[in-house]
Amino acid sequence: MQTLISAIVTASAVPPTANGEALLAQTRLAMRSRKAQRSIFPPAVFRESCWDIMLLCFAGQLEGRELCVKQLRNNLNESSTGLLRRIDELEEAGMLERHRDELDGRRTMVRLSPDAIAAMTRFLAQPGVVTS
């Protein structure tokens, strides 16, 4: 896993102080923060889940895995229709890529695009960045 994190950090023009493990920890902190927000506030307050999708995909890719649409839906507790709409928006913005699972053609896998990985890395590597 460290090699993959190092490759992402190196390829993303991250500041030299950025550490792959710290980047993953910052991503997980942002995910916990968003989950806490959703557990306290009504759904209308944090309706758009694009940022949550990007955080989940980024953490997965740092850990060397991709997520399927069902995993995203389960993590976000969002309707399939709403989630697919957000995935479409992210794909159109060049932030997300999707493809069929090679082992199970029924599953659709999603991952961040190289540009999105670079942007997430630069953003989360900033000292003191607000991540929620």
Side-chain angles (χ1 to χ4, degrees):
M1 179 169 81
Q2 184 57 40
T3 306
L4 179 64
I5 291 173
S6 297
I8 288 174
V9 170
T10 302
S12 302
V14 177
T17 56
N19 171 308
E21 292 297 329
L23 191 60
L24 183 56
Q26 183 74 351
T27 303
R28 288 182 176 147
L29 177 64
M31 291 165 53
R32 283 193 304 274
S33 174
R34 294 289 286 181
K35 187 174 185 175
Q37 289 168 339
R38 286 191 310 270
S39 73
I40 295 170
F41 295 98
V45 175
F46 298 104
R47 184 171 307 281
E48 300 297 320
S49 59
C50 289
W51 180 242
D52 299 299
I53 292 167
M54 290 184 66
L55 286 170
L56 286 165
C57 288
F58 189 59
Q61 285 174 249
L62 284 172
E63 296 167 342
R65 60 188 175 82
E66 292 181 339
L67 298 174
C68 70
V69 172
K70 184 176 181 177
Q71 289 170 305
L72 289 173
R73 191 182 72 233
N74 291 342
N75 271 292
L76 299 175
N77 197 27
E78 186 168 339
S79 72
S80 293
T81 303
L83 179 62
L84 291 173
R85 194 172 299 129
R86 300 293 87 74
I87 290 171
D88 287 343
E89 292 167 2
L90 287 168
E91 194 172 34
E92 287 174 22
M95 295 285 104
L96 203 65
E97 299 171 347
R98 66 178 127 185
H99 63 93
R100 290 279 174 211
D101 185 341
E102 293 175 8
L103 299 175
D104 182 351
R106 298 170 295 174
R107 291 188 339 160
T108 299
M109 307 302 289
V110 293
R111 63 176 168 239
L112 294 180
S113 68
D115 287 344
I117 290 172
M120 294 292 287
T121 302
R122 284 192 311 272
F123 179 74
L124 291 167
Q126 297 178 65
V129 69
V130 177
T131 56
S132 55

